[in-house]
Each structure stands twice: as C-alpha cells, then as structure tokens.
Amino acid sequence: MQDAALAVLERLEHEDAQERVTGVARELRGRQIAPGTGRFLFSLVAHRPGCRVLEVGGSRGYSALWLASGARVADGRVVSIEHDPQKARAWRANIREARLDDIAELLEGDAFALLGDGERSEFEFAFIDAEKEDYDSLFPLVRKRLTAGSLVVADNVLSHVETLGAYSAARQADPTLISVTVPLDRGLELSTVL
C-alpha cells in the first residue's frame, strides 16, 4: 500500500476513535468499518485482476481507501455511493489526499435511485455498508449489477443481528448463492453469486 493511503487511514482511525470517546452523534460520525475488516476487504479485492468494485455506503471514504488500495494492486476500479453531501465532500478529499482518485470515484445521491436507473454496469465485487434496514432492499439492486462469480460482502451482520439476521438467513437460503457469515469484527456476510 502507498504511504499516502496509509497516512489517511491512520488519521481516519484516530478521528473515529476521538468521535466515539467524545460522544459525537451516530449520524455525524464517520461510522467506518473496523481496521481488520478493511484489511480483509483489501485481501479479497487485491487478488482479482481488473476487479470492478461497487461500494454502497461510502461515508468519509475509509472503506473505499482499503478497497481502492486493493483494486490498485489488481488494476481494478471502485465506484462508491454516498448520499450525505458533507460525507461525500470528505470522501473526495480523503481519496484525493491518499492519491487514489484515479482508481476510485464517488456517485453522490440516493443508492436506490442510482442503482435502479436503466444503465447497467457490471461489477465483480460489492460491499454493502449502508443503513441496516435497507440491506434487504438494496441487495436485489446490487445483484443486478454483478457478474456470475461475483462476491457481495455485507458489514455489521453480527453487531446488528436483530436487524440483519434476516438478511443473512435470506442469503444463505438462496440456492443461487453460496453465503457464509464470517465472525470478523462486527460480522460479515459473504455471498458468492452462482
């Protein structure tokens, strides 16, 4: 990984820890993934040549930094979606500071509208880290954008099992997917499209 990206990741980790300690309201925080999850995402993307990544829920860009760093290794690209204008501005600044703006781009707006439009792009990897109550509704829209053999990773399935337990159960019951819950950090549901 590039030093510029590592420096931004470290800064964002420090900011996230400070926001939690000082009690910044949940909706104003970066709400980023755990560092271990970031390393895991990097590993999943880095070995997929030309991997096209879709991220739903970009926030300030922490997970996009991991995904784009992995995509750089494999000559891939990342498209991230974020609806909050303030977080979108921070996303762009952080990606630019990390020198990954040639790998990652941000679509600003409502994920349902952006994914539901007539244009279809194909991705080999998708990461869902949006509002938890939206996962089940987002999944079919994301899936339409994926090629066979694609991997979908959803965060927080164990930390928010009361909301996302049904999401995991539905993926595991779907005969067109192979899905498994990985107990890393806040819990990840990995679903491979058959």
Side-chain angles (χ1 to χ4, degrees), residues 71-138:
R72 181 183 293 282
V73 171
D75 196 29
R77 297 213 26 91
V78 175
V79 174
S80 184
I81 297 173
E82 175 55 47
H83 74 281
D84 182 302
Q86 186 174 349
K87 289 180 180 176
R89 280 191 297 279
W91 188 101
R92 288 185 177 95
N94 289 326
I95 295 296
R96 188 171 40 256
E97 183 181 338
R99 299 185 186 132
L100 289 166
D101 46 345
D102 60 327
I103 302 293
E105 72 172 290
L106 180 67
L107 301 179
E108 188 174 343
D110 179 72
F112 290 101
L114 292 168
L115 292 171
D117 68 17
E119 185 180 330
R120 291 286 178 252
S121 298
E122 290 190 341
F123 296 93
E124 292 81 27
F125 188 97
F127 180 56
I128 301 174
D129 189 20
E131 296 302 327
K132 311 311 169 238
E133 61 275 5
D134 291 338
Y135 279 34
D136 271 319
S137 300
L138 285 168

Side-chain angles (χ1 to χ4, degrees), residues 50-68:
C51 186
R52 292 165 296 173
V53 177
L54 172 64
E55 176 187 39
V56 182
S59 190
R60 296 179 190 159
Y62 182 81
S63 51
L65 289 166
W66 283 109
L67 291 165

Side-chain angles (χ1 to χ4, degrees), residues 143 165-180 189 191:
R143 185 173 180 165
Y167 172 90
S168 294
R171 302 299 79 80
Q172 292 180 18
D174 186 334
T176 66
L177 301 170
I178 296 292
S179 195
V180 63
E189 190 68 30
S191 305

